[in-house]
Amino acid sequence: MKAVFQKAKALWNRLDPMKRTILSTYFWALTGGGAYYLWGTLTGLWLPCTYYTLFHIQCAGCGMSRMFLKLIELDIPAAFAYNPGMFITLILWNVIAVLCFFNILKSKRVLSVIGTVNLVGLLIFGVLRNFA
C-alpha cells in the first residue's frame, strides 16, 4: 500500500502547477459537494441563501443547490431553470479547465478577461433576475 502512495505522489509531483490546481479544485469541489449532498439528503437540512433570507431578493447564486440536485438526476432543463447564470458559468469553466489541462489554453491574460466578463455577467444576471 505504501508503494501505491509513493507512486501517486511521484505522479502528482510531475504535474505542472496548473494541472495540480485544476485537479485539486475538482477534488475538493466533489468532496465538499458530496458531503453537502449526503448531509442534506440524510437530514433534510439544506443551507438557505443568507442574502435572500435578509433582503428577500435573489442573489446570482440562489437556486444552485437545487440546480446541482437536478444535475445529479440528469434533469438538465430543470437545472437550467433553477439558475441559468450559474449553469452557463459551470459549463464555461469546465470547458476552460479541460482546455487548460490539455495545454490548449495557456494565456493567463485570456483567463483573466474571461473571468472578468463572467463576473460582470453574473452581477448583471443577479440584478436582472429580480425584475423578470
Side-chain angles (χ1 to χ4, degrees):
M1 191 68 162
K2 187 176 180 182
V4 172
F5 285 117
Q6 287 174 338
K7 287 181 183 179
K9 185 176 179 182
L11 178 62
W12 179 258
N13 289 333
R14 280 189 299 216
L15 292 173
D16 64 74
M18 175 73 86
K19 290 181 181 178
R20 284 196 300 241
T21 301
I22 291 168
L23 291 174
S24 294
T25 302
Y26 275 98
F27 173 79
W28 289 112
L30 290 172
T31 302
Y36 179 63
Y37 176 75
L38 284 174
W39 169 263
T41 303
L42 295 174
T43 65
L45 300 173
W46 300 93
L47 294 174
C49 175
T50 305
Y51 190 82
Y52 186 79
T53 302
L54 294 174
F55 304 113
H56 302 288
I57 296 172
Q58 290 185 337
C59 70
C62 280
M64 278 184 47
S65 295
R66 290 172 287 167
M67 179 190 77
F68 280 110
L69 289 173
K70 290 300 174 184
L71 284 174
I72 290 169
E73 297 171 5
L74 300 177
D75 188 354
I76 306 302
F80 182 81
Y82 278 123
N83 194 320
M86 286 296 181
F87 186 88
I88 292 167
T89 296
L90 182 69
I91 293 170
L92 172 72
W93 286 106
N94 277 297
V95 168
I96 289 170
V98 169
L99 292 176
C100 289
F101 191 82
F102 291 106
N103 296 320
I104 297 168
L105 179 60
K106 297 178 185 179
S107 172
K108 290 184 179 182
R109 175 124 173 103
V110 171
L111 289 173
S112 179
V113 169
I114 292 171
T116 303
V117 169
N118 184 229
L119 181 62
V120 169
L122 284 175
L123 289 172
I124 293 169
F125 168 71
V127 171
L128 293 179
R129 79 183 303 189
N130 290 293
F131 297 107

